[in-house]
């Protein structure tokens, strides 16, 4: 099966990685390895960080850069981010897409999957993903 994990901003093998990456990114890295070990074709959508070489050592999965973290003008960054994410999702050409944590990228991934007729799995990372008063969109 072709699986695409959406892990923005990136992947990490450490709980407290530089740049604020942590729980969901660490879980995505572990999940990508487990799926690869079981023979699945796995790709991971990440931000185009300058530290891409570090990310590549974390997983054997194919990495697809969605956008550079500083792309676009402040206040209008959603445009290049939206387009870049959708380009990366289309390039993955997966049977099922997996996104963790409530946020704009997860919603856009679900919307992409609905339009493309692909499967979508949402993995909650914490209570803030499902308790309406606590949801942090970003």
């Amino acid at each position: 099966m072709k699986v695409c994990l959406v892990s923005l901003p990136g992947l990490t093998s450490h709980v407290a990685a530089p740049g604020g990456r942590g729980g969901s990114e660490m879980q995505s890295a572990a999940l990508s390895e487990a799926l690869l070990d079981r023979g699945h074709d796995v790709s991971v959508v990440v931000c185009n960080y300058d530290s891409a070489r570090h990310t590549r050592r974390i997983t054997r999965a194919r990495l697809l850069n969605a956008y550079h973290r500083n792309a676009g003008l402040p206040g209008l960054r959603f445009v290049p981010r939206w387009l870049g994410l959708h380009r990366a999702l289309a390039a993955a050409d997966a049977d099922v897409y997996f996104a963790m944590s409530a946020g704009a990228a997860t919603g856009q991934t679900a919307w992409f999957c609905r339009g493309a007729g692909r499967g979508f799995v949402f993995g909650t990372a914490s209570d803030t993903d499902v308790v309406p008063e606590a949801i942090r969109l970003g």
Side-chain angles (χ1 to χ4, degrees), residues 35 74 96 120 129-130:
L35 290 167
V96 65
F120 174 73
D129 291 338
V130 294

Side-chain angles (χ1 to χ4, degrees), residues 9-99:
L11 297 174
T12 183
S13 61
H14 307 289
V15 174
R21 295 182 300 265
S24 65
E25 293 86 0
M26 185 178 72
Q27 291 172 24
S28 292
L31 180 58
S32 70
E33 288 300 305
L35 290 167
L36 286 164
D37 288 345
R38 285 161 181 79
H40 297 287
D41 180 357
V42 181
S43 56
V44 183
V45 174
V46 297
C47 283
N48 183 8
Y49 278 85
D50 297 329
S51 61
R53 281 180 278 153
H54 173 69
T55 301
R56 292 187 201 294
R57 282 183 271 152
I58 292 169
T59 182
R60 297 170 285 142
R62 178 174 57 127
L63 298 181
L64 300 169
N65 290 320
Y67 51 83
H68 193 278
R69 63 182 174 170
N70 296 324
L73 299 171
L76 298 175
R77 289 191 172 144
F78 68 92
V79 174
R81 289 179 179 189
W82 176 280
L83 295 173
L85 176 59
H86 281 258
R87 273 194 296 270
L89 295 171
D93 190 31
D95 301 310
V96 65
Y97 293 77
F98 175 86

Side-chain angles (χ1 to χ4, degrees), residues 2-3 16 46 57 71 73 84 89 95 98-99 106 109 111 118 121:
K2 291 178 75 175
V3 180
V46 297
R57 282 183 271 152
L73 299 171
L89 295 171
D95 301 310
F98 175 86
T106 298
T109 302
W111 185 76
R118 306 296 171 91
V121 176

